[in-house]
Amino acid sequence: MSNQKNTAIIRFFGLFLILATIATVILAACGGTANPQTATTGTTPTAAATVAPTATPTPAPTPTPTTAPTPTAAPPTPTPQPPPPTPKPQPPAPKVVQVSIIMQNGQFAFSPATITIPKGSPVVWTNNTGAPHTVTSNNGQFTSSGTFNQGQTFSATFATAGTFTYHCSIHTYMTATVVVTG
């Protein structure tokens, strides 16, 4: 009976060694440790169960090439522009001077009869009577109006300095003067 007992122990021990070897191979393949002394299984390994671990080669790190930064061109500096020229002050617009054609003391008249204006000023005549009138230059120095009726106007701009006399060609006693300065 002791022979059978010894055979059973040897078979048990052989089976144990085969299982331990398989477990070690599986652990090594999965990245586990093959050294039973570093494993925390709670059992104390025996000398017969120790299997030498195989070294797994660690790949050497591949150097990553670095690229020098590409220099970027700075944006061009704009050329400073001179400020725009200061506009010259414009002379004020000439004041429009009004002359009325009126009835005064039973007669027609230009009112005012004499005006003084700066060069370039316009003059507007307004007929405020029921009769037709004209504004006619005495010597052709400016364009005459032609006939205009009550409520109508005539205008002329005097571009040169001087004294300009005029009259109504319908009522010749109606006379007046424009004095242009400047």
Side-chain angles (χ1 to χ4, degrees):
M1 175 144 157
S2 80
N3 238 358
Q4 286 180 346
K5 194 174 181 184
N6 284 342
T7 305
I9 291 174
I10 291 174
R11 282 185 185 173
F12 175 75
F13 189 67
L15 184 59
F16 176 77
L17 283 175
I18 290 173
L19 287 176
T21 303
I22 292 172
T24 302
V25 170
I26 291 174
L27 282 173
C30 294
T33 179
N35 188 348
Q37 291 180 351
T38 59
T40 55
T41 60
T43 60
T44 306
T46 62
T50 303
V51 177
T54 50
T56 305
T58 305
T62 305
T64 304
T66 57
T67 306
T70 304
T72 57
T77 304
T79 304
Q81 298 295 321
T86 304
K88 294 179 182 176
Q90 296 295 321
K95 179 182 170 190
V96 176
V97 178
Q98 300 285 334
V99 176
S100 293
I101 299 173
I102 60 171
M103 175 71 85
Q104 184 178 31
N105 297 328
Q107 293 193 335
F108 299 113
F110 295 106
S111 176
T114 301
I115 57 172
T116 301
I117 61 171
K119 183 169 54 173
S121 293
V123 178
V124 176
W125 289 266
T126 303
N127 183 351
N128 292 312
T129 71
H133 296 282
T134 69
V135 174
T136 305
S137 173
N138 287 355
N139 54 12
Q141 291 180 310
F142 64 93
T143 303
S144 297
S145 67
T147 302
F148 61 107
N149 294 312
Q150 183 176 10
Q152 293 181 318
T153 61
F154 166 71
S155 66
T157 300
F158 294 84
T160 57
T163 301
F164 302 88
T165 56
Y166 63 94
H167 64 277
C168 172
S169 62
I170 300 169
H171 310 96
T172 55
Y173 62 89
M174 293 175 58
T175 60
T177 305
V178 176
V179 178
V180 180
T181 61

